[in-house]
Amino acid sequence: AQSVTQLGSHVSVSEGALVLLRCNYSSSVPPYLFWYVQYPNQGLQLLLKYTSAATLVKGINGFEAEFKKSETSFHLTKPSAHMSDAAEYFCAVSSGAGSYQLTFGKGTKLSVIP
Amino acid sequence: SAVISQKPSRDICQRGTSLTIQCQVDSQVTMMFWYRQQPGQSLTLIATANQGSEATYESGFVIDKFPISRPNLTFSTLTVSNMSPEDSSIYLCSSRAGGLNHEQFFGPGTRLTVL
C-alpha cells in the first residue's frame, strides 16, 4: 500500500519569500513521485516528477523538489514566491511494479501575500 | 503531454437523475482514470477504464452507481446515476502518458451540483 502525507493544509508566504511545501510518502517499492498544481476552477497540471533518475528535480514555473529516500520525503520548493503561485498543490505517489494508480495527498493551499 | 477535454464543464442536476460526463483525449492512450474531488478535498480514484475490458472500480465505488464506458483509445464516459446531493463534486478524468511513464494528465474537470 502507498500513502502520501502533506504537512500543512494551508501555507502563507510573502511575495518574494521562499516557498516550502512538505510531502512525505510511504511505499513498499521504489516510488514514482509527482507534484501537481490546481488553480481555482481548473484541473490538475503536472509541476514535476521523480522517476528514479536525479534526486533533485526541476519543474515548471521555477519549482523544484528533492527526493530523500532516508526521510521518505519529496518536498517542493521555490526560491521566490510570486502572486501567480497562489493555488492548491498536491503531492502524489505511484508505486510502479505495473500499478499505475496515483495516490494523492490531501493538498496544500498556498497563499501569497503581497 | 496529452490534451484532455471534458463535457460538460459544469452542471446542476436534480436528485434522482443521472448525468453522463464525456472525456476526450487528443491521442490514443491505454489507461484512463476517473477521479472524484469533493469540495475542499483531495482526489479519490473512482475507477480505471481500459479499452476493451470492464472498468476496475476502487473500494467504495460500484458499477451500478458509476457506470463507465471506454469504446476506444481516445474516449471514455462516466455516468453518475441516481444522484443525491452527496454526489456534488468535481469529476476529473485523466490519462496515463504510456510506456514506462507513470504521470497522468488531467482534464479540466466537471463541476457537478446536485440539488
Side-chain angles (χ1 to χ4, degrees):
Chain A
Q2 56 197 28
S3 65
V4 175
T5 302
Q6 291 184 241
L7 294 177
S9 59
H10 195 170
V11 170
S12 292
V13 300
S14 297
E15 190 174 16
L18 171 72
V19 176
L20 171 60
L21 304 182
R22 299 179 186 274
C23 172
N24 288 88
Y25 69 90
S26 117
S27 175
S28 57
V29 297
Y32 296 82
L33 294 158
F34 308 90
W35 276 100
Y36 285 87
V37 59
Q38 186 177 35
Y39 298 101
N41 300 314
Q42 295 188 26
L44 273 69
Q45 180 182 6
L46 180 65
L47 267 181
L48 49 79
K49 62 181 180 181
Y50 167 75
T51 58
S52 76
T55 56
L56 182 61
V57 180
K58 294 187 184 298
I60 62 172
N61 301 339
F63 284 93
E64 63 182 36
E66 185 172 9
F67 172 70
K68 291 187 176 181
K69 183 178 179 179
S70 61
E71 299 177 8
T72 60
S73 69
F74 190 57
H75 301 330
L76 182 71
T77 60
K78 182 175 180 178
S80 176
H82 192 271
M83 295 297 295
S84 61
D85 295 326
E88 184 126 28
Y89 292 80
F90 293 95
C91 182
V93 63
S94 174
S95 64
S99 169
Y100 297 101
Q101 295 179 3
L102 290 181
T103 299
F104 285 85
K106 292 185 180 298
T108 297
K109 185 173 182 179
L110 175 66
S111 298
V112 182
I113 305 166
Chain B
S1 64
V3 177
I4 301 175
S5 59
Q6 287 184 233
K7 289 182 184 179
S9 59
R10 59 177 63 230
D11 208 340
I12 300 173
C13 301
Q14 297 297 317
R15 88 171 51 221
T17 63
S18 298
L19 175 72
T20 295
I21 302 168
Q22 299 179 7
C23 179
Q24 180 76 52
V25 188
D26 69 343
S27 58
Q28 294 185 342
V29 293
T30 53
M31 301 178 81
M32 295 180 71
F33 305 87
W34 286 98
Y35 291 85
R36 181 175 70 183
Q37 186 179 23
Q38 294 177 301
Q41 303 296 315
S42 185
L43 281 75
T44 301
L45 181 64
I46 297 172
T48 302
N50 294 318
Q51 195 267 337
S53 63
E54 284 197 6
T56 303
Y57 289 83
E58 297 302 303
S59 175
F61 297 97
V62 295
I63 187 171
D64 289 347
K65 176 67 175 176
F66 297 101
I68 288 171
S69 77
R70 181 81 200 274
N72 57 51
L73 291 174
T74 64
F75 188 78
S76 179
T77 67
L78 169 76
T79 299
V80 186
S81 302
N82 188 25
M83 288 184 286
S84 67
E86 291 71 35
D87 294 320
S88 297
S89 293
I90 300 172
Y91 291 87
L92 299 108
C93 72
S94 72
S95 69
R96 188 174 72 85
L100 297 178
N101 293 302
H102 283 242
E103 66 262 37
Q104 294 176 21
F105 298 101
F106 285 81
T110 295
R111 187 177 297 268
L112 171 62
T113 301
V114 184
L115 302 177

